Amino acid sequence: MAWEPYDYTSRRHRASRKIFYRPLLDVDVSGESGIERVTALVDSGTELTIMSTQVAQLVGISPVGKPTIKVLSFGDSKPGFVAQVRIVVPEFPKEVLTTNVIFSDSVSDGVPYDILLGQEDFFARFLIRFEKHRNKFFLDLP
């Protein structure tokens, strides 16, 4: 299969008004009772995939009875819980990534994405190439 190209997405920073470009990707997330297309940041600095609790609600995942975890981010700690989801990149419909993710509100505060795609699962499944100088990134299968 050939590398699938994606453009970095531009966003203006609220305080500095500077435009930043990020590797954002729309993915389909399915849970216990639903499926939703949401925006994810392809983040090589994140170990595990983290999703906002809003995504959990959209796909029918309740925190009741799930393992809990504290999510540390920028010196702050927020509660979270672990649950299994299925993630599909629309351009790779046969490649279903079934994985445990952390749901936490640490993702949803003022950022233009609902998911941080991490190394342990997403980066292990896909080949990823960043070309920041061209504001492009690429996905392929190993």
Side-chain angles (χ1 to χ4, degrees):
M1 191 167 193
W3 287 98
E4 183 70 33
Y6 299 88
D7 292 322
Y8 274 51
T9 303
S10 63
R11 297 281 192 255
R12 187 174 300 277
H13 189 274
R14 282 177 286 193
S16 71
R17 307 303 297 158
K18 182 178 178 181
I19 294 177
F20 288 90
Y21 295 88
R22 295 186 176 107
L24 298 180
L25 177 68
D26 287 338
V27 296
D28 294 328
V29 177
S30 55
E32 295 171 2
S33 66
I35 184 168
E36 193 73 28
R37 183 159 290 178
V38 292
T39 301
L41 175 68
V42 181
D43 188 0
S44 63
T46 299
E47 292 177 32
L48 303 170
T49 293
I50 303 173
M51 298 186 181
S52 74
T53 55
Q54 294 168 343
V55 173
Q57 293 169 355
L58 290 170
V59 298
I61 297 175
S62 167
V64 176
K66 305 289 191 296
T68 60
I69 190 169
K70 285 191 177 193
V71 179
L72 299 175
S73 177
F74 301 105
D76 191 17
S77 174
K78 292 200 177 185
F81 67 94
V82 178
Q84 189 175 83
V85 298
R86 289 169 304 286
I87 301 170
V88 174
V89 176
E91 292 78 12
F92 297 86
K94 294 181 181 177
E95 196 65 24
V96 179
L97 174 60
T98 301
T99 187
N100 286 324
V101 301
I102 299 169
F103 287 99
S104 173
D105 287 329
S106 64
V107 177
S108 58
D109 293 336
V111 294
Y113 46 85
D114 300 299
I115 302 171
L116 295 171
L117 293 171
Q119 289 195 23
E120 190 169 298
D121 41 32
F122 191 79
F123 280 69
R125 179 64 64 92
F126 289 93
L127 299 173
I128 303 166
R129 188 174 85 215
F130 296 101
E131 293 185 9
K132 177 65 175 148
H133 65 287
R134 294 177 51 211
N135 285 326
K136 295 242 182 236
F137 67 103
F138 302 83
L139 296 181
D140 200 356
L141 297 172

